[in-house]
Amino acid sequence: MKLDVSGTITLTFRLTVGQISESVSVHAEAELLKAAEGTISTTIDNTKVVELPLNGRNFNNLVRLTPGATRGTSGGGETLNAQVWSVTGGRSDNLNYTLDGTYNNGAFFKTAAIAPSIDAINEFKIQ
């Protein structure tokens, strides 16, 4: 079972004492609908982060792997790293960047304030 960044999991089970000769078979199927939360997200694992040939090794290019993500426009002019994004129709100036759960928004350009090295990223998630 895999638990992605900021994911939740609920496990409910009861164990009873049985005979030594008993065997237990577990069969699981993926959920079709997440009933516990209403978010849409894409998680890019470390294998893709490390192995993809990213132009300039810029972590922002990982956003291109997310369905519904396109280049946005910067209303305030040119940005520091020249990349802003629009995800699933949202405005590019309404994005929130976090790095290890900490606020990471640029003060003026609506981009990530700190751009980590690709080699430092274990998991990348768009939510």
Side-chain angles (χ1 to χ4, degrees):
M1 180 176 295
K2 181 179 177 190
L3 183 60
D4 292 326
V5 173
S6 72
T8 58
I9 189 168
T10 303
L11 298 174
T12 305
F13 54 91
R14 184 182 337 159
L15 298 176
T16 58
V17 178
Q19 300 297 325
I20 295 175
S21 63
E22 285 188 21
S23 65
V24 176
S25 297
V26 177
H27 300 282
E29 294 182 21
E31 279 185 273
L32 297 177
L33 176 67
K34 292 182 180 179
E37 61 182 70
T39 59
I40 299 170
S41 65
T42 300
T43 301
I44 299 163
D45 62 9
N46 184 259
T47 304
K48 290 179 185 171
V49 170
V50 173
E51 293 180 359
L52 285 172
L54 297 174
N55 187 12
R57 305 284 292 157
N58 187 338
F59 83 98
N60 276 303
N61 290 321
L62 295 170
V63 176
R64 297 175 192 256
L65 301 175
T66 304
T70 61
R71 290 290 298 266
T73 59
S74 175
E78 194 59 36
T79 64
L80 292 175
N81 59 8
Q83 294 189 29
V84 291
W85 301 96
S86 173
V87 180
T88 61
R91 293 174 49 130
S92 56
D93 59 350
N94 288 340
L95 296 180
N96 179 41
Y97 293 89
T98 59
L99 179 63
D100 289 336
T102 306
Y103 184 83
N104 186 33
N105 293 295
F108 301 107
F109 300 113
K110 305 298 182 189
T111 60
I114 298 171
S117 165
I118 286 295
D119 299 320
I121 297 175
N122 188 41
E123 206 170 55
F124 183 85
K125 183 173 185 177
I126 300 289
Q127 184 172 341

